[in-house]
């Protein structure tokens, strides 16, 4: 981590991140979640780091009953307003959690962690949280993890020092119990994107979907 973020308070960091602009994300669901969850039978879902609610709303519109959590009260307020506008507010429960300290209770048919990266995370925090997420998956349910595999091709000098874990590193970190899980998706996905100064580039992401079989 850089000196400016290594010791930052996570809640203060993310509150500032969202308060600096009126809208951060597009409002559209993450494509990797759409790819992996579109054909799943709706049930209960847990959206980790829900931000402004794009994924939670997409799931709710498809019949899921969603618990959506984030560390930022500002993000959660926007997400709730967007869910109200979309007509699915009654299908989404929003809750504030610092997932390094507290975690939603219960088990879910789908747990989603999309681009669960943070420049202010502590050592092994991401791994520990995702391992805790496996405990929240109900038998027969799925965990979908979408991650960046690196910086976009047009980034020459990253502003923070972040380790982007490989698929093997993520799977190893989950510590899945033998005979109780099935890896259903393990892919790298390259997408085109435009940089802040109009640069054309690509970024590679990874997606993992594991199903709890017992």
């Amino acid at each position: 981590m850089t000196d400016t973020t290594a010791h930052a308070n996570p809640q203060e960091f993310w509150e500032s991140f969202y308060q600096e602009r009126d809208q951060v994300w597009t409002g559209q669901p993450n494509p990797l979640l759409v790819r992996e969850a579109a054909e799943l039978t709706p049930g209960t879902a847990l959206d980790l780091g829900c931000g402004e609610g794009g994924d939670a709303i997409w799931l709710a519109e498809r019949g899921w009953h969603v618990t959506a959590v984030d560390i930022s009260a500002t993000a959660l307020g926007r997400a709730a307003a967007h869910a109200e506008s979309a007509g699915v507010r009654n299908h989404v429960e929003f809750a504030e959690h610092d997932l390094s300290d507290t975690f939603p209770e219960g088990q879910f048919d789908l747990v989603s962690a999309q681009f669960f990266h943070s420049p202010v995370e502590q050592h092994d925090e991401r791994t520990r949280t995702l391992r805790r997420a496996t405990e929240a998956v109900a038998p027969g349910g799925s965990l979908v993890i979408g991650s960046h595999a690196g910086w976009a091709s047009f980034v020459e000098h990253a502003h923070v020092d972040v380790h982007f874990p490989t698929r093997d590193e993520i799977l190893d970190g989950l510590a899945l119990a033998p005979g109780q899980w099935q890896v259903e998706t393990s892919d790298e996905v390259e997408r085109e994107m435009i940089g802040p100064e109009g640069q054309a580039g690509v970024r590679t992401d990874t997606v993992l979907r594991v199903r709890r079989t017992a």
Side-chain angles (χ1 to χ4, degrees):
M1 304 299 173
T2 64
D3 291 340
T4 58
T5 61
H7 303 292
N9 177 286
Q11 188 171 36
E12 293 177 355
F13 174 87
W14 288 109
E15 272 296 281
S16 176
F17 176 83
Y18 282 102
Q19 290 178 0
E20 285 178 355
R21 64 214 87 179
D22 294 332
Q23 179 176 335
V24 175
W25 313 115
T26 65
Q28 298 300 310
N30 280 297
L32 296 178
L33 175 64
V34 172
R35 190 186 99 159
E36 296 301 319
E39 301 303 321
L40 297 179
T41 301
T44 56
L46 174 60
D47 182 11
L48 300 176
C50 69
E52 293 166 326
D55 288 354
I57 291 169
W58 179 82
L59 288 167
E61 289 175 336
R62 278 145 187 83
W64 293 86
H65 295 274
V66 186
T67 298
V69 303
D70 203 277
I71 195 172
S72 167
T74 296
L76 289 168
R78 292 178 187 171
H82 294 157
E84 184 73 33
S85 297
V88 295
R89 183 64 184 85
N90 291 339
H91 297 280
V92 187
E93 176 185 350
F94 292 99
E96 184 176 332
H97 283 274
D98 179 344
L99 292 169
S100 66
D101 292 328
T102 62
F103 203 93
E105 295 182 356
Q107 290 190 316
F108 303 83
D109 301 306
L110 171 65
V111 178
S112 172
Q114 300 304 304
F115 302 107
F116 197 67
H117 305 282
S118 172
V120 292
E121 68 184 42
Q122 301 303 308
H123 177 66
D124 282 342
E125 179 181 336
R126 184 180 192 268
T127 296
R128 286 183 280 107
T129 301
L130 292 177
R131 188 176 299 167
R132 176 64 184 85
T134 66
E135 301 173 12
V137 180
S142 298
L143 170 63
V144 178
I145 303 172
S147 307
H148 294 308
W151 294 106
S153 60
F154 48 74
V155 175
E156 296 182 3
H157 304 288
H159 60 285
V160 290
D161 181 16
V162 175
H163 172 65
F164 296 103
T166 66
R167 288 172 291 166
D168 286 343
E169 287 174 329
I170 297 170
L171 277 174
D172 288 345
L174 295 179
L176 300 175
Q180 297 183 21
W181 293 85
Q182 180 176 341
V183 178
E184 297 191 321
T185 299
S186 177
D187 285 342
E188 284 193 353
V189 180
E190 189 176 274
R191 58 191 170 96
E192 296 180 356
M193 61 187 308
I194 302 299
E197 299 178 3
Q199 319 98 304
V202 296
R203 189 165 196 174
T204 302
D205 299 323
T206 65
V207 57
L208 292 170
R209 175 159 60 97
V210 295
R211 182 169 59 87
R212 186 172 187 174
T213 58

